Amino acid sequence: MLRLGVNMKILVTGGAGFIGSNFIRLILKKYSEYKIVNLDKLTYAGNLDNLRDIEKNTNYTFVKGDICDKSLIEKLMKGIDIVVHFAAETHVDRSIKESGIFIDTDIKGTYILLQAAKKNNVKKFIHISTDEVYGEIYKGSFKETDSLNPRNPYSAAKAGADRLAYSFFCTYNFPVIITRSSNNFGPFQHPEKVIPLFVTNLLDGKKVPLYGNGLNVRDWIYVIDNCEAIDFLINNGKIGEVYNIGGGSEISNIDLTKLILNFFKKDESFIEYVKDRLGHDRRYSLDCDKIKVLGWKPRFSFDEAMKSTMVWYKNNEWWWRKIKSGEFRKYYQEHYKKHME
Ligand code: NAD
Ligand code: DAU
């Protein structure tokens, strides 16, 4: 296994998003010698408010730019030891409406990063994939060796990127590690995603739009657990391998909704059952033995992490109010109008 030195320089892509910003905070706190360059295009999902507390840290540099910009990427890659590649278009509903940008960013952007990283002899390339690449599963859990069966444009683009990263290992022996995590939740998640959407709607006294019958199941992981697992794999993961990272907390959307309603002391009249998502994956489930055998397991319980997440949104209206009253307002109105027709 390649041992890492103390003066690592890490290029994080998509670090102004939800998981990337939590990851940068964790790394800067844990490794006082590491330098981080955060490259982010600042799409609707990128938000420098996520990093306000660390923007003056001398080990941290922000670069506004696109992972599809080949000449910028080649310049930035010089002297980089590790790439942690989060940048992507990430919202399934948006991919159903318009998938072109998902192909550009998630596949082509990954290709441009891989090429430049290989050319510059980067020591490790951590590709952040997703459990959605396996598709849905009714019973049992997916292992890393199971075949991929993505069922929406977002997950299909992510599956393409995932296998492209793997091909760089098989073909060129380029040091890639791939993570496939389950649904993350926690602070700084864009309110287009179900937990922050439902929490902030209730804080505003509004109903929550639940797709279909609410019986779809997701496995939730606290974002800090996922970030710690990524750090663990940078240090302990085997090159060329894929690792599932799950929270082991499966819950149906209806039960998740009731948990949130209870916390805010609202009754079920606050649920608005709306038209289902097209091709809605029924259940995701991961077998995480491979990373557990290496020595990682989630630290946080689902109930405690959910409580602290809901409290975080309650106490940080400054963060989500701007988003909900900006571009997102129009998206929300148009998107949910269609679901109510
Ligand atoms: P996010 O949507 O919150 O953030 C994505 C970030 O990428 C944003 O800051 C955005 O500005 C940036 N970005 C988008 N296009 C870019 C481009 N062309 N160039 C540079 N930056 C660009 O996403 P997230 O939830 O933090 O997810 C991060 C990664 O983790 C993604 O690759 C996603 O597929 C994967 N993932 C997410 C989850 C989850 O539950 N959120 C679960 C498994 C895997
Ligand atoms: O599983 C990992 C994936 O999790 C990541 O790869 C994606 O980037 C991330 O967005 C997430 O995808 P999901 O589609 O599972 O997350 P979302 O929050 O959009 O939806 C979670 C569940 O809640 C899903 O079954 C759909 C449902 N839902 C969602 C929204 C936005 C609703 O019922 N109503 C809603 O308004």
Side-chain angles (χ1 to χ4, degrees):
M1 186 191 308
L2 176 71
R3 280 280 142 217
L4 299 170
V6 284
N7 293 314
M8 291 288 115
K9 191 168 176 193
I10 308 182
L11 174 65
V12 173
T13 71
F18 164 48
I19 307 176
S21 59
N22 278 289
F23 178 76
I24 290 174
R25 185 172 293 103
L26 178 110
I27 295 295
L28 288 176
K29 200 168 164 202
K30 185 163 172 193
Y31 303 98
S32 58
E33 310 291 317
Y34 281 22
K35 302 254 182 295
I36 291 190
V37 178
N38 172 17
L39 169 70
D40 198 295
K41 186 178 170 185
L42 298 182
T43 66
Y44 79 91
N47 184 353
L48 291 178
D49 279 348
N50 298 5
L51 293 156
R52 263 201 200 176
D53 54 328
I54 54 117
E55 66 194 4
K56 293 204 170 73
N57 187 313
T58 50
N59 286 340
Y60 170 75
T61 312
F62 174 70
V63 178
K64 182 171 187 236
D66 190 334
I67 56 168
C68 297
D69 181 343
K70 191 164 170 261
S71 63
L72 172 70
I73 298 303
E74 283 183 352
K75 225 187 292 163
L76 283 181
M77 207 56 85
K78 299 215 183 325
I80 293 292
D81 299 295
I82 305 168
V83 174
V84 187
H85 173 35
F86 294 97
E89 288 292 333
T90 62
H91 195 38
V92 173
D93 291 329
R94 292 187 192 243
S95 82
I96 292 167
K97 191 160 172 259
E98 170 53 57
S99 47
I101 186 79
F102 286 74
I103 310 303
D104 292 342
T105 295
D106 299 13
I107 303 181
K108 196 169 173 214
T110 300
Y111 164 71
I112 287 167
L113 285 168
L114 284 164
Q115 281 281 45
K118 178 166 87 65
K119 195 169 151 193
N120 284 280
N121 299 316
V122 161
K123 296 186 183 80
K124 283 189 189 178
F125 188 105
I126 314 299
H127 177 73
I128 309 298
S129 185
T130 167
D131 66 352
E132 288 206 19
V133 298
Y134 296 114
E136 61 183 8
I137 188 166
Y138 279 68
K139 275 191 190 148
S141 303
F142 285 118
K143 278 177 139 16
E144 290 83 350
T145 44
D146 283 324
S147 56
L148 306 190
N149 184 28
R151 300 180 65 256
N152 61 62
Y154 158 70
S155 54
K158 289 293 290 184
D162 176 312
R163 292 299 81 192
L164 192 62
Y166 185 63
S167 79
F168 269 60
F169 165 71
C170 297
T171 312
Y172 310 113
N173 205 24
F174 181 64
V176 168
I177 293 174
I178 295 163
T179 75
R180 295 182 186 146
S181 96
S182 60
N183 283 62
N184 285 228
F185 68 99
F188 302 111
Q189 185 169 32
H190 193 286
E192 68 186 354
K193 306 291 177 7
V194 74
I195 291 177
L197 177 69
F198 284 15
V199 167
T200 57
N201 272 16
L202 292 177
L203 285 168
D204 271 343
K206 288 191 187 141
K207 291 189 176 189
V208 299
L210 186 61
Y211 294 161
N213 53 16
L215 294 180
N216 303 66
V217 173
R218 297 292 182 265
D219 167 19
W220 292 96
I221 183 169
Y222 190 46
V223 65
I224 305 299
D225 275 326
N226 184 26
C227 292
E228 288 182 359
I230 295 166
D231 172 42
F232 176 83
L233 290 173
I234 292 175
N235 290 291
N236 301 288
K238 196 172 160 213
I239 298 300
E241 295 290 322
V242 176
Y243 294 92
N244 290 341
I245 305 173
S249 305
E250 287 185 32
I251 185 168
S252 66
N253 292 340
I254 181 69
D255 287 343
L256 176 73
T257 306
K258 286 181 187 167
L259 183 153
I260 300 172
L261 288 172
N262 271 341
F263 183 83
F264 290 104
K265 301 192 173 26
K266 304 277 191 210
D267 63 31
E268 289 179 31
S269 67
F270 275 84
I271 302 178
E272 178 119 50
Y273 287 92
V274 299
K275 207 180 337 170
D276 209 354
R277 173 185 278 175
L278 295 177
H280 197 172
D281 284 338
R282 172 62 181 241
R283 173 173 171 260
Y284 299 141
S285 182
L286 291 176
D287 177 324
C288 297
D289 281 355
K290 188 170 170 181
I291 187 169
K292 284 188 178 153
V293 166
L294 273 188
W296 175 88
K297 62 175 184 346
R299 272 197 307 128
F300 295 89
S301 85
F302 175 70
D303 287 345
E304 285 310 310
M306 266 303 286
K307 263 187 217 145
S308 77
T309 298
M310 292 187 282
V311 168
W312 188 87
Y313 286 95
K314 192 165 177 268
N315 292 341
N316 288 279
E317 187 175 338
W318 71 272
W319 182 83
W320 57 264
R321 177 68 62 202
K322 274 192 236 174
I323 303 172
K324 282 196 102 170
S325 51
E327 177 265 355
F328 180 71
R329 214 163 113 191
K330 195 163 158 257
Y331 162 83
Y332 184 87
Q333 283 162 354
E334 282 171 10
H335 178 70
Y336 290 99
K337 198 171 147 223
K338 283 216 172 102
H339 278 266
M340 285 170 197
E341 271 163 10

